[in-house]
Amino acid sequence: MNPERLARLRDLCRDEAAFEQIKQILGDEVLKSEHKINQANFQVQRQKALFRVVTRLREPIDLETIFQATATEVRQLLAADRVGMFRFYPDSGWNDGEFVSEDVDPAFPSAIAQRIHDHCFGERFAIHYQQGRIQAVADIHTYGLSDCHIQVLAQFEIRANLVIPLLQGKNLWGLLCINQCRAPREWQATEIEFATEIASHLAVALQHAELLADVQAEVIERQQAEQALHSLNQGMQRAMIELQAVNRELEAFSYSVSHDLRAPLRSIDGFSQALLEDYQEQLDETGQNYLRRIRLATQRMGQLIDDLLNLSRLMRSEMQLEPVDLSLLAKVIYAELQESQPERQVDCVIEPGLIAQGDSRLLQMMLTNLLDNAWKFTSKHTQAKIEFGTMSQESGIPIYFVRDDGAGFDMAYANKLFGPFQRLHRIDEFPGTGIGLAIVQRIVHRHGGRVWAEGVVEQGATFYFTLVADEAGA
């Protein structure tokens, strides 16, 4: 109290005992006032510090900067010897970690970036801190800490310790550690409350950092995907250019081969026919048979050349998509087949009203090959049946089929059906070049569909196809 005021009080109060009592009362009041003033100042500084922390959270600055600035402010405000943010190593079971930020009195050793191991923590304490436990230790030697924990603290000369969990969402990311090294310290309720508020704001910063890392990872992933897509597009463009060049070369080669082969084939066929007509009397039956076989072989070679050219043109032709009445096409094709062999007894069942979107010319060629195959491979049976219809599936995409009860095939060789010039029957049994099903497959693929077959020897075959993309068959 002010000495002048004490002198004036002494003049007013002649009783020495009463004066001492009044002096004690006034002294207590002064101390209380000073304490309240100090508390008010602390609250003001606390609010300012919290405001600065919150302001930093709103700024585009990194987590390390936020931690470092916060550690400095907290140490100054609490007059502590060390304030640091400790981070647990992922997958360490909360037994290992390091201080990633720190503000420390130069008189004491720094703990920054030193690997710290405490095998007691993960098993005994981590779950409690994850649930929000706060530890305020006035003196590490009298608080009842485990020996292993005391050893960890003693290496940094820590006497008193205030520890608040740093949570990233619900996960224990690390600890806010406030240390007193010079002497023990009783932590005040206001100090603990302030440190807890700081930790909660740092938890927001941790959450923001995690979200930012996720966003950055997603951005990098998208950039990599875009780069990969760009590279793929460039590769596809190069491949298309190369494919176009190959197709042009193949087309030129096909026409060249066709032209170069046709002339000698015509000569062989023509001279063989001339020998048969002009020198028939000089040739015995064996010689005439040889010439007839030569003519058949050259004619078959000519047909193979035509089929190859048709297959090549098929893949290059432009498609004109429109609604196509498949039922009507099938009826026309069947009528032509029946007209070519009116003596045959074939029951043909065609489902009406089958409309598909596609190229009418290509779809007619496809159905012609499928129905012609069914007609051909039932030719050994006195009575036969051919069906054309659809099946339903969960995707709603119609499955068309052509079924017959003819020669069928062994499913062990089903993978050869759609290869050019692949045959499952001898040519003397069923004539043909073996190109028809290859044409069917390519037409179906050009429409985005798929084609497959099932068969049993001498019990018939069924060919299925779709005309749009069908994930079920991918």
Side-chain angles (χ1 to χ4, degrees):
M1 183 180 290
N2 191 302
E4 292 182 2
R5 290 182 180 177
L6 282 176
R8 290 178 62 188
L9 285 172
R10 190 176 185 87
D11 291 338
L12 294 172
C13 184
R14 299 297 180 180
D15 188 330
E16 186 67 28
F19 172 75
E20 290 298 328
Q21 187 176 5
I22 292 172
K23 180 181 175 182
Q24 182 64 41
I25 293 172
L26 291 177
D28 291 343
E29 290 298 323
V30 168
L31 288 175
K32 288 180 182 179
S33 297
E34 288 178 349
H35 180 67
K36 289 181 180 180
I37 291 171
N38 289 335
Q39 281 190 322
N41 287 334
F42 178 80
Q43 291 294 338
V44 170
Q45 296 304 317
R46 167 181 164 179
Q47 293 303 317
K48 288 182 179 179
L50 289 172
F51 176 77
R52 286 192 290 271
V53 171
V54 172
T55 301
R56 278 194 291 270
L57 292 179
R58 296 177 179 176
E59 296 174 353
I61 55 179
D62 59 274
L63 195 62
E64 182 179 353
T65 302
I66 293 174
F67 277 175
Q68 189 58 55
T70 303
T72 300
E73 289 188 350
V74 171
R75 192 174 83 83
Q76 291 175 351
L77 186 58
L78 296 183
D81 293 326
R82 179 190 289 107
V83 174
M85 286 69 177
F86 180 83
R87 181 194 65 183
F88 292 106
Y89 294 144
D91 304 322
S92 70
W94 295 288
N95 287 328
D96 296 276
E98 64 181 28
F99 280 91
V100 294
S101 293
E102 178 191 62
D103 190 77
V104 62
D105 188 310
F108 300 99
S110 173
I112 196 72
Q114 292 191 39
R115 183 185 182 94
I116 297 175
H117 173 75
D118 183 352
H119 65 272
C120 303
F121 189 89
E123 182 179 349
R124 296 176 56 186
F125 303 112
I127 185 64
H128 303 294
Y129 278 96
Q130 191 157 328
Q131 294 171 352
R133 171 180 177 173
I134 297 171
Q135 180 172 275
V137 178
D139 190 334
I140 67 171
H141 298 296
T142 60
Y143 189 77
L145 299 177
S146 61
D147 291 340
C148 57
H149 195 40
I150 291 175
Q151 290 174 1
V152 172
L153 297 175
Q155 66 179 315
F156 299 107
E157 301 182 27
I158 296 171
R159 292 292 306 276
N161 199 24
L162 176 59
V163 180
I164 298 96
L166 294 176
L167 300 176
Q168 190 174 53
K170 295 183 179 180
N171 180 55
L172 179 60
W173 180 91
L175 303 169
L176 170 59
C177 299
I178 303 171
N179 306 143
Q180 202 68 24
C181 300
R182 288 182 171 82
R185 172 172 177 169
E186 289 290 341
W187 301 100
Q188 303 301 313
T190 53
E191 295 173 334
I192 296 173
E193 183 182 353
F194 169 66
T196 303
E197 287 188 74
I198 288 292
S200 67
H201 288 301
L202 292 179
V204 174
L206 288 170
Q207 193 70 14
H208 288 175
E210 183 182 33
L211 294 174
L212 180 60
D214 290 343
V215 171
Q216 289 174 339
E218 184 177 351
V219 169
I220 292 173
E221 184 178 349
R222 288 187 178 183
Q223 288 174 342
Q224 291 174 342
E226 289 174 359
Q227 181 62 38
L229 181 61
H230 180 67
S231 300
L232 180 61
N233 287 336
Q234 287 183 328
M236 289 180 64
Q237 289 176 355
R238 287 193 298 269
M240 289 179 63
I241 293 172
E242 292 173 3
L243 182 60
Q244 290 172 352
V246 169
N247 283 337
R248 286 194 295 270
E249 293 176 4
L250 181 60
E251 184 176 1
F253 175 76
S254 298
Y255 282 111
S256 175
V257 169
S258 172
H259 180 270
D260 292 344
L261 287 179
R262 285 180 189 279
L265 285 175
R266 281 195 298 268
S267 295
I268 294 170
D269 185 44
F271 283 120
S272 297
Q273 183 179 6
L275 285 172
L276 284 171
E277 292 175 353
D278 299 341
Y279 297 91
Q280 186 175 9
E281 295 179 359
Q282 286 100 320
L283 296 171
D284 60 11
E285 184 60 32
T286 301
Q288 293 180 32
N289 183 51
Y290 287 163
L291 288 173
R292 282 192 288 271
R293 291 174 66 181
I294 290 173
R295 290 199 65 203
L296 285 174
T298 56
Q299 289 167 10
R300 176 171 169 75
M301 178 66 78
Q303 184 61 50
L304 288 173
I305 292 172
D306 288 340
D307 287 344
L308 277 174
L309 289 174
N310 288 335
L311 189 60
S312 176
R313 293 191 189 101
L314 181 65
M315 300 310 295
R316 297 192 309 271
S317 61
E318 292 290 333
M319 290 178 59
Q320 302 293 328
L321 298 180
E322 58 183 339
V324 179
D325 190 334
L326 298 180
S327 300
L328 180 59
L329 284 180
K331 288 179 182 178
V332 173
I333 295 167
Y334 168 71
E336 292 174 352
L337 291 169
Q338 186 66 70
E339 186 178 352
S340 67
Q341 290 182 294
E343 72 282 1
R344 288 194 57 188
Q345 300 296 316
V346 179
D347 179 20
C348 188
V349 179
I350 298 174
E351 183 178 334
L354 300 182
I355 308 296
Q357 190 77 7
D359 186 293
S360 60
R361 178 180 59 84
L362 294 180
L363 293 180
Q364 181 178 16
M365 187 183 304
M366 177 197 66
L367 280 178
T368 298
N369 278 286
L370 289 174
L371 291 170
D372 185 63
N373 264 11
W375 182 270
K376 177 171 60 177
F377 288 108
T378 56
S379 61
K380 305 297 183 183
H381 296 186
T382 54
Q383 289 188 333
K385 184 176 182 179
I386 298 174
E387 297 178 71
F388 173 55
T390 57
M391 296 168 51
S392 60
Q393 58 177 338
E394 292 183 2
S395 66
I397 297 173
I399 298 176
Y400 303 93
F401 65 86
V402 174
R403 179 180 294 122
D404 67 69
D405 57 358
F409 62 89
D410 187 342
M411 285 295 290
Y413 303 102
N415 61 322
K416 295 184 176 182
L417 283 173
F418 301 100
F421 308 117
Q422 296 287 333
R423 298 178 54 84
L424 301 186
H425 302 86
R426 297 196 314 272
I427 194 170
D428 58 341
E429 289 184 299
F430 300 101
T433 60
I435 202 74
L437 289 179
I439 290 175
V440 168
Q441 185 185 59
R442 298 197 182 188
I443 291 174
V444 169
H445 285 177
R446 290 204 66 185
H447 283 79
R450 61 189 182 103
V451 59
W452 67 101
E454 296 175 354
V456 179
V457 175
E458 289 305 326
Q459 294 185 33
T462 304
F463 287 83
Y464 304 92
F465 64 90
T466 62
L467 294 174
V468 292
D470 182 4
E471 293 183 359

